[in-house]
């Protein structure tokens, strides 16, 4: 459907923006021709979270934005990865180029990158990427200080929660409406880094959530039958929720899929264009069965409403498969030679792609094209749902010995549909022209006046050189004027509303109408193709590249030790660990307990022993969860270990010192400085930093502002999804699950046999931890020379004796009594800081976990 064909709005329901993905030029054309209001795209120079997409070059920007503007489509560029200090100089010319080309907005994850964009071009709008983890009005309120003009909400929010956020913030809200769901909060997944050496926060997600896992409960394997993909959500299909999303205040509905094909973009964009148009008219947005099947054929791991209707963990993650399935075509009821028989559940035609899932071979799929169809003893070109058919395939394509009766069959490709989708955009994007409204004034004795408007932002007026003469025989009529002005077939425009005022029977020559029409089209084209005039201040951006303050490393040249002994902090998850840490002489203990009511015991113990105690907040903050922050501060700890922006704001309000944790993703000096301006006293370096990048950060900030985690079990997935509820409870969410997390110790076994511990927090969010501890002990001596004074050990399930042993080793390390190699070998830990050892990291296959 062309943009000009969008129907009039329902008087009580505003029209939201439809935002489509654009991984390449074909996807751009598909989005334009199928009714997108805006597209989002990445650049091949990096800093975008879909590195594997084709993306665009800087030299493409002018033509890309010109094309979009000529069709009334906005273009948003993704700059949504973390940046290291040594990389930030590369960003300044990119930002200049993006701003000059007229890109409508940039999507940003990194606080420091947002500061840099706003400084280089204050007129370039910034949208907070979903990876910035803004999940409540409180977090948005803090982030607004960065100059953000729109927030892309986390996928984990329900419509009810979105409505609460909208009612409490003035910033426009964007939300995903369709596409693949990550099981982990965006920006909070460290699995690809920890297991495969690929950073999701840098655009290299390895999709470990799509792998099979086995459940180990209380030390014993739990048989879950065919449920093996415990962390693989179904795809979001939110078409039915569009009216509620609009009513909740969402002004942009986003389709996921920059790695998808142009046919996918055409398919999904077209269906959502029509659904949105129905919604603003007050009509139903439910899809027909044919429309749903078409969408599933483009890509589907199964459709579900995601979190929009609230948590239903069983519906979200059925666990039966993780790859694209397509349509359920039936089940095998007989196998003869190289043919299978089944009763069809969907239409099938020659050339369609079909896959068969082998139940006897761990659910593996094998696929082929349909080469022959036999129905009732006759060869046919196609068959319909409900009919019994024999299907034959390409020679050698399938192992028929691995196919049994009752194996599911899926249709996963439809060449006829693909051809139709491609025809919707191939070579005909000009058909999706902008609608131009005209006002015509023709009066004898006055110049002919044409006023053209596109929306509310663009208006051009042209007049004839000479006044119109009065007609002797054939005065101008409205039909003739409309017909001549409407000849816009070879332009980017379409005739919209036309108002014609004729006075005193003027004669309007056709040549004059054609000349004014050409003049008007040229002016409109010039207006549309000219990027907006913006302030661009590269010199001010370059100033931001300088280190923050005067780092200690500059004084010590990275060689001489600093005065004062380095300090050890220990994060504990049980009171036994807290007592053991205090017995070991630790000066700072963080408590991170499943139940905040237990924090009282940690604070009391610290006061009795003269030990500083910090209490950790939950990692994500959602609407209605201020009570969880109050539960931390009411015990008056010495510190709050803040894991989100709302916790930082809360610490300032209650007057308690604050340490920002790793989840705030501090990788550069400008994000560090900005957080400290919000009241943070000390910052935990991001786990995305390897050894060399950590040094880069240390050399760019006052080192006494940093705390480095040197021992931990890496938190892989942090999820709204609860595995405990999904597979260990008859319930669907925390209101009816019976809290199996309180009674069971659960681990997930991966394909190489590693047992990864799973834990739930008080908000019923799950974190899966790496089975192996990692140690950054070898880098500690270098960090001490650079002036870093605080080092943290994070415990997981250690008992008191193991706690004392781990602490003793790191105390000896900080005192110089043992070297780093001795520490990590003694603890049988992975020798790594953050997610990789940088230049010391042994070569490994980045696809190993796949």
């Amino acid at each position: 459907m062309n943009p000009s064909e969008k129907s009039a709005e329902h008087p009580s329901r505003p029209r939201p923006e439809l935002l489509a993905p654009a991984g390449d030029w074909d996807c751009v054309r598909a989005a334009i021709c199928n009714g997108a209001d805006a597209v989002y795209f990445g650049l091949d120079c990096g800093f975008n979270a879909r590195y594997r997409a084709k993306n665009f070059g800087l030299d493409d920007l002018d033509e890309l934005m010109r094309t979009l503007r000529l069709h009334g489509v906005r273009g948003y560029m993704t700059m949504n990865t973390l940046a290291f200090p040594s990389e930030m100089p590369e960003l300044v010319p990119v930002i200049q180029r993006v701003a000059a080309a007229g890109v409508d907005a940039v999507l940003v994850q990194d606080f420091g990158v947002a500061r840099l964009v706003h400084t280089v071009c204050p007129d370039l709008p910034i949208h907070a990427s979903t990876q910035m983890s803004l999940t409540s009005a409180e977090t948005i309120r803090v982030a607004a200080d960065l100059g953000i003009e729109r927030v892309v909400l986390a996928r984990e929010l329900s419509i009810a929660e979105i409505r609460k956020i909208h009612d409490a913030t003035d910033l426009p809200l964007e939300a995903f409406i369709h596409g693949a769901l990550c099981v982990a909060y965006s920006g909070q997944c460290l699995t690809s880094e920890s297991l495969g050496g690929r950073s999701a926060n840098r655009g290299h997600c390895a999709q470990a959530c799509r792998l099979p896992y086995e459940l180990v409960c209380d030390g014993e394997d739990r048989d879950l039958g065919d449920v093996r993909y415990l962390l693989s959500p179904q795809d979001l299909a939110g078409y039915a929720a569009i009216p509620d999303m609009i009513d909740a205040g969402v002004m942009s509905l986003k389709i996921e899929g920059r790695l998808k094909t142009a046919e996918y973009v055409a398919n999904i964009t077209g269906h959502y264009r029509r659904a949105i148009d129905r919604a603003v008219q007050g009509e139903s947005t439910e899809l027909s069965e044919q429309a749903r099947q078409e969408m599933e054929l483009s890509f589907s791991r199964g459709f579900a409403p995601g979190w929009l209707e609230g948590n239903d963990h069983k519906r979200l993650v059925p666990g039966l498969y993780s790859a694209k399935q397509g349509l359920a075509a039936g089940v095998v009821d007989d196998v003869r030679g190289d043919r299978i028989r089944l009763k069809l559940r969907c239409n099938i035609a020659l050339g369609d792609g079909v896959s068969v899932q082998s139940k006897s071979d761990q659910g593996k799929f094998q696929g082929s094209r349909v080469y022959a169809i036999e129905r009732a003893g006759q060869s046919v070109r196609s068959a319909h749902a409900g009919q019994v058919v024999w299907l034959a395939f390409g020679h050698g394509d399938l192992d028929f010995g691995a196919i049994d009766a009752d194996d599911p069959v899926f249709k996963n490709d439809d060449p006829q549909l693909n051809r139709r989708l491609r025809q919707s955009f191939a070579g005909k994007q000009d058909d999706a022209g902008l609608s131009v409204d005209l006002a015509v004034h023709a009066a004898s004795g006055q110049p002919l006046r044409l006023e053209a408007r596109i929306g509310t932002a663009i208006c051009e007026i042209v007049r004839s050189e000479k006044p119109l003469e009065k007609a002797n025989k054939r005065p101008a009529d409205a039909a003739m004027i409309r017909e001549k002005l409407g000849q816009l077939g070879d332009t980017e425009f379409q005739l919209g509303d036309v108002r014609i005022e004729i006075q005193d029977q003027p004669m309007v020559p056709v040549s004059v109408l054609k000349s004014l029409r050409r003049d008007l089209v040229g002016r409109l084209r010039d207006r549309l193709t000219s990027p907006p005039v913006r302030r661009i201040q590269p010199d001010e951006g370059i100033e931001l590249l300088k280190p923050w303050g005067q780092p200690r490393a500059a004084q010590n040249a990275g060689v001489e030790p600093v005065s004062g002994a380095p300090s050890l902090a220990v994060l504990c998850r049980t009171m036994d660990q807290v007592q053991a840490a205090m017995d070991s002489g630790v000066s700072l203990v963080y408590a991170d307990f499943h139940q905040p009511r237990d924090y009282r015991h940690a604070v009391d113990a610290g006061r009795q022993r003269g030990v500083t105690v910090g209490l950790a907040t939950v990692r994500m903050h959602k609407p209605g969860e201020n009570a969880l922050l109050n539960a931390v501060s009411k015990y008056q700890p010495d510190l709050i270990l803040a894991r989100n922006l709302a916790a930082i704001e809360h610490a300032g309000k209650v007057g308690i010192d604050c340490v920002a944790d790793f989840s705030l993703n501090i990788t550069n000096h400008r994000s560090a400085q900005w957080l400290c301006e919000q009241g943070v006293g000390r910052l935990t370096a991001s786990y995305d930093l390897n050894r060399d990048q950590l040094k880069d950060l240390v050399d760019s900030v006052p080192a006494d502002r940093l705390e480095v985690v040197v021992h931990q079990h890496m938190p892989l997935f942090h999820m709204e999804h609860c595995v405990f509820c999904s597979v260990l409870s008859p319930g669907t969410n925390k209101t009816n699950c019976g809290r199996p997390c309180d009674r069971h110790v659960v681990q997930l076994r991966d394909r190489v046999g590693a047992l990864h511990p799973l834990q739930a927090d008080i908000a019923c969010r799950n974190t899966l931890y790496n089975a192996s501890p990692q140690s950054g002990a070898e880098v500690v001596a270098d960090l001490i020379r650079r002036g870093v004074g605080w080092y943290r050990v994070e415990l997981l399930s250690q008992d008191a004796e193991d706690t004392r042993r781990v602490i003793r080793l790191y105390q000896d390390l900080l005192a110089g009594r043992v070297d780093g190699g001795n520490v990590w070998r003694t603890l049988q830990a992975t020798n790594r800081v953050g997610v990789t050892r940088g230049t010391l990291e042994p070569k490994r296959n980045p696809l190993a976990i796949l």
Side-chain angles (χ1 to χ4, degrees):
M1 178 177 290
N2 297 334
S4 61
E5 294 173 342
K6 301 169 190 175
S7 56
E9 296 180 11
H10 189 269
S12 61
R13 184 171 288 149
R15 180 185 301 282
E17 173 186 84
L18 176 58
L19 177 56
D24 59 24
W25 277 106
D26 277 350
C27 292
V28 169
R29 287 186 278 269
I32 289 172
C33 292
N34 285 277
D37 298 301
V39 300
Y40 62 104
F41 60 91
L43 296 179
D44 59 10
C45 56
F47 305 105
N48 93 80
R50 288 296 181 268
Y51 185 80
R52 291 184 290 123
K54 289 183 180 180
N55 295 308
F56 294 87
L58 282 172
D59 292 340
D60 294 321
L61 278 177
D62 289 333
E63 179 62 21
L64 174 60
M65 293 311 302
R66 175 185 178 277
T67 299
L68 293 175
R69 284 192 293 268
L70 280 173
H71 294 90
V73 177
R74 294 175 287 280
Y76 307 139
M77 195 205 80
T78 59
M79 199 178 284
N80 55 342
T81 60
L82 303 178
F84 308 133
S86 61
E87 296 174 327
M88 293 186 79
E90 303 171 33
L91 278 170
V92 174
V94 172
I95 296 167
Q96 287 180 256
R97 189 74 182 79
V98 167
V103 171
D104 292 288
V106 292
L107 285 91
V108 173
Q109 171 188 12
D110 188 299
F111 305 140
V113 172
R115 293 193 71 180
L116 188 62
V117 171
H118 193 60
T119 300
V120 173
C121 183
D123 302 322
L124 178 58
I126 299 172
H127 296 176
S129 166
T130 187
Q131 290 173 274
M132 197 178 278
S133 301
L134 302 182
T135 51
S136 67
E138 291 80 4
T139 57
I140 292 172
R141 184 165 58 237
V142 178
D145 182 67
L146 294 165
I148 289 167
E149 296 186 19
R150 183 193 292 188
V151 173
V152 186
L153 296 171
R155 296 167 175 89
E156 288 81 357
L157 292 164
S158 68
I159 293 173
E161 290 167 332
I162 292 172
R163 182 176 288 107
K164 290 179 181 178
I165 293 173
H166 173 263
D167 291 345
T169 182
D170 293 329
L171 283 181
L173 303 178
E174 177 182 311
F176 283 90
I177 194 66
H178 190 93
L181 287 174
C182 303
V183 76
Y185 274 95
S186 293
Q188 301 297 320
C189 181
L190 295 161
T191 313
S192 299
E193 296 95 317
S194 186
L195 298 181
R198 299 166 54 172
S199 170
N201 279 325
R202 302 274 293 168
H204 294 273
C205 174
Q207 294 195 326
C209 53
R210 304 300 180 180
L211 298 176
Y213 294 89
E214 297 172 346
L215 188 80
V216 179
C217 183
D218 301 326
E220 297 182 356
D221 283 22
R222 181 67 65 95
D223 184 5
L224 300 176
D226 294 333
V227 176
R228 301 172 62 243
Y229 298 94
L230 304 180
L231 304 177
S232 182
Q234 296 193 85
D235 290 348
L236 168 64
Y239 48 85
I242 289 172
D244 290 335
M245 295 279 278
I246 299 172
D247 294 343
V250 176
M251 58 79 62
S252 179
L253 297 172
K254 185 173 189 174
I255 298 168
E256 181 274 339
R258 279 195 290 137
L259 292 173
K260 303 293 198 308
T261 66
E263 288 81 1
Y264 169 91
V265 174
N267 191 351
I268 305 305
T269 302
H271 283 299
Y272 276 91
R273 173 75 277 150
R274 291 182 285 273
I276 290 172
D277 289 346
R278 291 195 298 270
V280 298
Q281 287 292 312
E283 300 171 4
S284 171
T285 59
E286 286 288 351
L287 296 181
S288 67
E289 183 61 25
Q290 178 182 348
R292 181 184 172 95
Q293 289 188 7
E294 288 182 358
M295 291 169 63
E296 287 188 285
L297 280 168
S298 278
F299 193 91
S300 169
R301 296 185 180 97
F303 282 171
W307 285 278
L308 293 178
E309 297 177 2
N311 287 343
D312 183 336
H313 300 292
K314 287 179 168 59
R315 178 175 61 182
L316 181 75
V317 183
L320 299 174
Y321 44 79
S322 66
K324 174 185 174 180
Q325 302 303 301
L327 302 176
V331 295
V332 176
D333 65 22
D334 196 3
V335 181
R336 292 184 187 174
D338 60 356
R339 301 186 306 163
I340 63 173
R341 187 176 67 187
L342 69 160
K343 183 177 182 179
L344 292 176
R345 297 179 183 172
C346 66
N347 298 342
I348 289 284
L350 294 179
D352 285 352
V354 169
S355 63
V356 183
Q357 184 180 26
S358 175
K359 290 185 175 181
S360 62
D361 192 15
Q362 297 184 326
K364 291 183 179 178
F365 287 87
Q366 50 177 333
S368 176
R369 295 282 175 187
V370 176
Y371 274 64
I373 305 172
E374 182 182 308
R375 180 171 61 84
Q378 299 292 321
S379 293
V380 295
R381 298 187 61 83
S382 63
H384 300 291
Q387 295 176 339
V388 177
V389 297
W390 286 93
L391 301 182
F393 306 94
H395 180 70
D397 286 354
L398 301 181
D399 176 7
F400 288 90
I403 299 176
D404 300 313
D406 294 330
D407 281 351
V409 181
F410 298 89
K411 174 181 172 179
N412 51 32
D413 187 57
D414 186 331
Q416 295 183 41
L417 172 63
N418 291 336
R419 282 193 293 271
R420 177 162 58 83
L421 291 171
R422 179 157 285 276
Q423 288 169 359
S424 75
F425 62 88
K428 55 174 289 185
Q429 70 194 73
D430 285 343
D431 289 353
L434 284 173
S435 178
V436 179
D437 297 332
L438 292 179
V440 182
H441 180 74
S444 298
Q446 299 179 26
L448 176 63
R449 181 180 184 273
L450 305 185
E451 177 183 304
R453 288 185 177 273
I454 300 176
T456 58
I458 294 178
C459 177
E460 287 290 341
I461 299 174
V462 294
R463 295 178 176 86
S464 61
E465 293 182 0
K466 298 179 179 179
L468 298 176
E469 296 180 2
K470 189 168 183 176
N472 292 324
K473 294 182 179 179
R474 296 183 179 178
D477 64 82
M480 183 274 291
I481 292 174
R482 179 189 296 270
E483 190 266 329
K484 298 303 179 185
L485 293 179
Q487 294 176 1
L488 300 169
D490 59 346
T491 73
E492 301 88 352
F493 307 107
Q494 298 184 51
L495 193 63
D497 294 333
V498 181
R499 292 185 294 105
I500 301 175
E501 182 182 3
I502 301 175
Q503 295 179 350
D504 198 21
Q505 297 184 318
M507 179 180 68
V508 180
V510 171
S511 60
V512 172
L513 284 172
K514 290 183 176 180
S515 175
L516 290 184
R517 185 189 67 213
R518 286 193 297 269
D519 188 14
L520 201 56
V521 166
R523 292 191 184 197
L524 290 174
R525 185 181 288 122
D526 289 343
R527 282 283 298 274
L528 287 167
T529 56
S530 299
V533 177
R534 288 169 168 165
R535 293 169 292 168
I536 300 178
Q537 309 163 157
D539 291 343
E540 294 190 26
I542 291 171
E543 282 294 311
L544 282 186
L545 303 178
K546 297 177 180 178
W548 167 32
Q550 188 67 23
R552 298 283 291 275
Q555 301 168 2
N556 293 279
V559 178
E560 297 298 326
V562 297
S563 58
S567 300
L568 183 68
V570 179
L571 184 139
C572 302
R573 290 187 165 91
T574 68
M575 270 307 298
D576 285 346
Q577 293 172 353
V578 169
Q579 294 291 356
M582 291 181 178
D583 291 342
S584 299
V586 171
S587 56
L588 169 57
V589 171
Y590 294 114
D592 183 12
F593 294 166
H594 177 60
Q595 290 290 349
R597 62 174 177 266
D598 295 334
Y599 280 158
R600 174 189 291 110
H601 306 305
V603 173
D604 289 346
R607 288 174 181 153
Q608 293 169 9
R609 306 284 290 275
V611 177
T612 301
V613 173
L615 300 183
T617 70
V618 293
R619 198 151 149 191
M620 308 305 295
H621 180 270
K622 295 181 73 176
E625 292 185 350
N626 286 340
L628 297 180
L629 294 176
N630 294 330
V632 170
S633 60
K634 74 176 182 180
Y635 298 117
Q636 289 297 302
D638 303 293
L639 295 171
I640 288 178
L641 184 61
R643 290 175 168 157
N644 56 68
L645 294 179
I648 292 173
E649 182 186 59
H650 179 76
K653 287 181 177 179
V654 298
I656 299 176
D657 291 340
C658 177
V659 175
D661 207 1
F662 74 94
S663 51
L664 286 150
N665 291 324
I666 304 306
T667 59
N668 60 67
H669 51 307
R670 288 308 157 206
S671 55
Q673 182 183 22
W674 178 74
L675 276 184
C676 288
E677 290 169 356
Q678 309 309 309
V680 170
R682 198 161 62 243
L683 306 140
T684 309
S686 167
Y687 293 165
D688 270 285
L689 298 168
N690 66 23
R691 179 175 185 152
D692 298 329
Q693 294 152 356
L694 179 58
K695 293 176 184 178
D696 191 12
L697 176 65
V698 171
D699 292 345
S700 301
V701 304
D704 57 358
R705 290 284 201 167
L706 286 178
E707 186 169 308
V708 177
V709 177
V710 292
H711 183 95
Q712 63 164 317
H713 289 259
M714 181 71 75
L716 304 177
F717 298 104
H718 184 65
M719 308 172 283
E720 187 71 21
H721 175 58
C722 181
V723 178
F724 293 92
C725 176
S726 181
V727 298
L728 293 177
S729 164
T732 57
N733 56 51
K734 62 185 178 183
T735 66
N736 55 25
C737 69
R739 296 193 63 83
C741 56
D742 290 339
R743 304 187 303 276
H744 298 293
V745 176
V746 169
Q747 299 160 301
L748 300 188
R749 181 187 292 114
D750 66 17
R751 298 199 303 175
V752 299
L755 288 170
H756 303 291
L758 183 75
Q759 294 189 359
D761 64 19
I762 187 60
C764 296
R765 293 170 201 130
N766 285 193
T767 303
L768 187 71
Y769 293 89
N770 196 327
S772 301
Q774 71 170 42
S775 172
E778 283 194 352
V779 78
V780 167
D782 198 358
L783 294 178
I784 292 174
R785 286 192 294 269
R786 280 175 154 78
V788 176
W790 279 97
Y791 301 85
R792 189 194 308 167
V793 167
E794 294 203 347
L795 305 171
L796 187 61
S797 56
Q798 291 90 340
D799 61 19
E801 181 179 348
D802 281 343
T803 295
R804 286 188 286 267
R805 183 170 69 96
V806 172
I807 291 172
R808 185 164 56 248
L809 275 169
Y810 281 97
Q811 288 173 328
D812 289 345
L813 174 68
L814 295 182
R817 294 188 289 269
V818 298
D819 64 23
N822 181 279
V823 172
W824 69 262
R825 281 189 290 268
T826 300
L827 295 174
Q828 297 182 325
T830 304
N831 180 21
R832 193 180 300 165
V833 62
V835 295
T836 173
R837 291 178 60 208
T839 55
L840 297 181
E841 176 72 3
K843 290 183 185 254
R844 57 190 170 136
N845 178 7
L847 299 178
I849 62 172
L850 299 180

